[in-house]
Amino acid sequence: MTEKHHIIQVWFFVGVLLLVYGFLIFASGLAEWSHPPNTVLAELHAPVWWGGLLFVLGLIYCIKFSPARKS
Amino acid sequence: MTILMSGVNMYAMAVVMKVVLGWNINFSIWLSSLTVGIYVAAGGLFSAIFNEVLQFFLIWFGALIIPILGLIETGGWKGMVARIQQNFPGQDYTHAWSTLGRFQDNPMGMHWTGIVFGLGAVQAMGYWTTDFLVVQRVLSAKDIRSAKMAPIIGSFFKMAVPLIVILPGLLGLAVLPMHLVPASSLQPGQYSYNEVLPLMLARYCGPGLLGLGITALVAGFMAGMAGNVSASATVWTYDIYRPFLRKTAPDQHYVSMGRWCTLIGLFVSIGTAYLAMGFASIMDYVQALFGFFIAPLFGTVLLGMLWKRVSCAAGFWGLLAGTLSSVTMFTLMKLDHRWVGVFALSPNAQGLAQDMYQALWSCVTCVVVTVLVTLVTKPRPDEELKGLVYALTEVAHEEHTSFLRRPLFWGVAAVAVLVVLQIIFW
C-alpha cells in the first residue's frame, strides 16, 4: 500500500470543542462578574472556573492530538 | 423500535427547548429532526458515530455542573437526603435494595424480583446484546479486542450516568419549590418529571453555562436520534432490502436507499415523538418499548445462538408470541388496575415496576413458545448453521496483549465497581 491517508483524530475535534466552549463560558463568567445573573449560587461564579476547566482540558487535547504533531 | 426510540429523543429535546427557551414544542421537534436528518443523510453511520463522540463530551461537561452546584447548595449528600426527607416524609429515594423487600416500601412500588429478573436478567442484558444501536457500534469496531472493550468501557460510563441523571432528580426533590407531576396529568402552570433537568439548569446557570447545558442536553438527544435513525436505515438497507428485494445493484443505489430511509425514518419518528407525550414520564415510555421489543427478542437471540436445534419457525412464533403477550399485558394493566396485581404480582406496583414484570413474562413466553415449536419442527443441518450458532462457529481470538489491555481484566474491574456501588447504595 503506497498511498497513506492522513485522518485527523476525533480527539482533536473534541479538544477544539472544549477549547471554544471553555473560552466562551469563561468570558461570559467574567462579563457577569460584577452583575451576577439572578440564579441560585451566582456568587460562586461557576462559569469562570467551569469555563476555565473546559479551556484547559481542551488545550491539552488540542496539543496532544494536534494533526501537526507526528505520532 | 429504533424509530420509536428516536421519537423519544425528539420529544425530550423539544421539552428542553420549551422549558428553557420557551419555544413551541412542535417547532422544536421539527427543527431538531431537520438538523439530524441533514447530517445523518450526508455522512451516514460515520458522521453519526463521529458526532456521538463529540456529543458525549458535551453531555458530561454540560450536565455535570448541575449535581456539583446542587450538592453545594444542599450542603452535600447528607444535606440533600435531609431535605428530601423533610419534603417527602416517610419516603426513601436514596437506597437501592434495602426497601425492595415489599412493593409498598418504595416510591416505585418495586420488588427485588422485578429488579433482578425483569430489569437485570431481561431488560439490561437484552439491551446490551440485542439493541441494534449498541450492536451496530460494536460491529463497527476495528478488531475483536476493540469490540469487546467497547461495551466494557461503556459500562463504566453507564454506572456513572446516575451522577448526571438520577442525582439532579434527587436534588430537584430537595431544592425545587414546586412539586413535579406526571406528564400525562400536566395542568397549565405545572411542571412534569421530564422537566427536572432543564429546571435545574435554569436554577443554577446564567447565560454562558445555560448555553452549555442546553447544548449538552440537545447534543445527547441528537446523538440518540441520529444513532437510532441510522440504525434503522442500516437494518432496512442491509438486512432486508439488499438480501431480499434487490440483490444486485451498484453501491450508489444502496447509499441512496439508506439516505431515503433516514429521511423517512425521521418523519415517522416525528409521529412517534407525540406518542411519548401520553406517558407519565419518558422513562415509563422507554421501558414499555423495551418490554415490547427488546425482552422477547433477547429470548429469541439467546436460544437461537446457544441451541442449534431451534428452527426458523420456532424463532418466528416465539418472538411473535413474546411481543403480543407483552402488548397484551401492557394494555390490560392500563385498562384495568386489577391486572397489575396479576402480572406485576402486587396492586402497589407502579409504572416502571409493571414494565419490569411485563418484560420478564414476555421473555419467558417467547422462550417457552420457541422451545415448544422447536420440538415439533424439523431441525436444520449443521452445515447451514455455521456462523450462526455458537457451537458451530469459530470465534475470533484476541491478539496477545499486555494484562492491562485485556478485556477480561476490565470486565472484572467493571463487575467489582458494580458490587461496590451496590454496597454503598444498599
Side-chain angles (χ1 to χ4, degrees):
Chain A
M1 197 165 111
T2 53
E3 190 184 356
K4 189 179 178 182
H5 294 284
H6 186 73
I7 297 173
I8 302 174
Q9 292 190 64
V10 68
W11 308 118
F12 174 71
F13 292 101
V14 168
V16 172
L17 201 70
L18 294 179
L19 196 74
V20 172
Y21 269 90
F23 175 76
L24 291 173
I25 292 165
F26 181 77
S28 75
L30 288 183
E32 63 192 25
W33 187 277
S34 53
H35 302 287
N38 187 24
T39 55
V40 176
L41 298 178
E43 68 278 9
L44 293 181
H45 302 290
V48 174
W49 48 267
W50 196 247
L53 175 73
L54 259 64
F55 185 85
V56 171
L57 282 173
L59 199 63
I60 293 170
Y61 263 73
C62 281
I63 294 169
K64 186 167 169 55
F65 298 102
S66 165
R69 200 173 144 141
K70 286 182 183 176
S71 55
Chain B
M1 166 77 192
T2 53
I3 294 293
L4 289 165
M5 287 300 293
S6 176
V8 171
N9 287 294
M10 261 183 211
Y11 171 59
M13 191 164 135
V15 167
V16 173
M17 290 171 169
K18 182 195 129 197
V19 173
V20 184
L21 303 176
W23 288 8
N24 178 280
I25 198 154
N26 299 305
F27 173 75
S28 306
I29 287 175
W30 283 88
L31 183 75
S32 59
S33 57
L34 191 70
T35 313
V36 172
I38 290 170
Y39 82 71
V40 175
L45 180 63
F46 181 77
S47 78
I49 295 179
F50 195 92
N51 273 295
E52 276 169 15
V53 176
L54 299 179
Q55 286 155 345
F56 172 84
F57 282 86
L58 277 179
I59 292 163
W60 277 93
F61 283 108
L64 202 57
I65 191 72
I66 297 174
I68 292 173
L69 292 173
L71 286 174
I72 292 173
E73 185 188 356
T74 56
W77 177 265
K78 283 184 181 171
M80 181 194 77
V81 174
R83 284 202 196 193
I84 293 175
Q85 284 171 351
Q86 190 184 341
N87 293 345
F88 300 90
Q91 300 210 39
D92 188 347
Y93 287 92
T94 50
H95 290 95
W97 295 100
S98 60
T99 60
L100 291 180
R102 293 190 310 163
F103 286 89
Q104 58 269 37
D105 287 351
N106 59 83
M108 289 170 71
M110 186 72 82
H111 190 258
W112 67 269
T113 51
I115 293 286
V116 172
F117 299 110
L119 180 64
V122 175
Q123 297 274 59
M125 286 194 193
Y127 168 73
W128 284 98
T129 53
T130 64
D131 187 310
F132 196 71
L133 185 67
V134 177
V135 174
Q136 191 183 38
R137 268 83 193 127
V138 175
L139 291 177
S140 66
K142 63 178 180 182
D143 54 37
I144 190 76
R145 193 188 79 84
S146 303
K148 286 182 178 177
M149 283 302 291
I152 292 172
I153 293 170
S155 74
F156 284 101
F157 285 102
K158 200 78 173 176
M159 287 187 279
V161 159
L163 284 176
I164 56 169
V165 176
I166 296 176
L167 193 49
L170 290 173
L171 288 162
L173 290 176
V175 300
L176 286 177
M178 70 286 278
H179 276 251
L180 305 176
V181 296
S184 49
S185 58
L186 192 65
Q187 300 294 320
Q190 290 184 319
Y191 292 94
S192 76
Y193 301 134
N194 294 334
E195 295 167 350
V196 65
L197 211 51
L199 284 171
M200 294 296 281
L201 264 178
R203 180 179 179 84
Y204 294 121
C205 301
L209 272 180
L210 190 60
L212 177 68
I214 295 169
T215 312
L217 294 176
V218 167
F221 299 134
M222 276 201 180
M225 223 188 300
N228 279 299
V229 167
S230 65
S232 72
T234 310
V235 169
W236 166 258
T237 310
Y238 279 90
D239 296 340
I240 299 171
Y241 184 74
R242 193 155 142 173
F244 297 110
L245 298 175
R246 192 161 174 190
K247 290 181 180 171
T248 51
D251 285 350
Q252 188 55 41
H253 175 78
Y254 296 119
V255 172
S256 299
M257 175 53 68
R259 284 179 177 157
W260 278 110
C261 193
T262 300
L263 290 176
I264 293 167
L266 274 171
F267 279 112
V268 180
S269 300
I270 291 170
T272 62
Y274 291 94
L275 277 179
M277 291 183 197
F279 283 75
S281 74
I282 291 174
M283 197 60 187
D284 277 339
Y285 180 61
V286 169
Q287 292 301 333
L289 288 182
F290 274 32
F292 295 157
F293 302 108
I294 294 278
L297 184 60
F298 179 56
T300 306
V301 169
L302 208 62
L303 277 177
M305 189 175 73
L306 299 177
W307 191 24
K308 64 178 185 177
R309 176 77 175 74
V310 175
S311 62
C312 295
F316 174 78
W317 289 111
L319 187 58
L320 187 66
T323 306
L324 287 179
S325 70
S326 187
V327 174
T328 307
M329 281 184 275
F330 176 81
T331 311
L332 287 175
M333 286 193 284
K334 294 296 170 203
L335 289 177
D336 187 344
H337 191 76
R338 281 176 296 181
W339 287 104
V340 173
V342 177
F343 296 126
L345 309 183
S346 166
N348 294 313
Q350 302 297 310
L352 282 175
Q354 295 168 21
D355 294 332
M356 303 303 152
Y357 287 101
Q358 177 193 321
L360 173 61
W361 302 135
S362 67
C363 185
V364 169
T365 306
C366 170
V367 169
V368 170
V369 172
T370 305
V371 170
L372 291 176
V373 178
T374 294
L375 295 176
V376 295
T377 46
K378 196 178 166 188
R380 289 209 168 194
D382 284 2
E383 292 74 39
E384 291 181 20
L385 297 173
K386 282 182 181 166
L388 294 172
V389 178
Y390 186 77
L392 300 172
T393 303
E394 195 175 334
V395 180
H397 291 285
E398 305 159 36
E399 288 178 16
H400 185 72
T401 183
S402 65
F403 188 69
L404 283 177
R405 287 173 59 82
R406 287 183 196 170
L408 180 65
F409 170 78
W410 289 106
V412 171
V415 172
V417 173
L418 176 73
V419 171
V420 170
L421 286 173
Q422 304 312 307
I423 294 168
I424 292 173
F425 293 103
W426 187 268

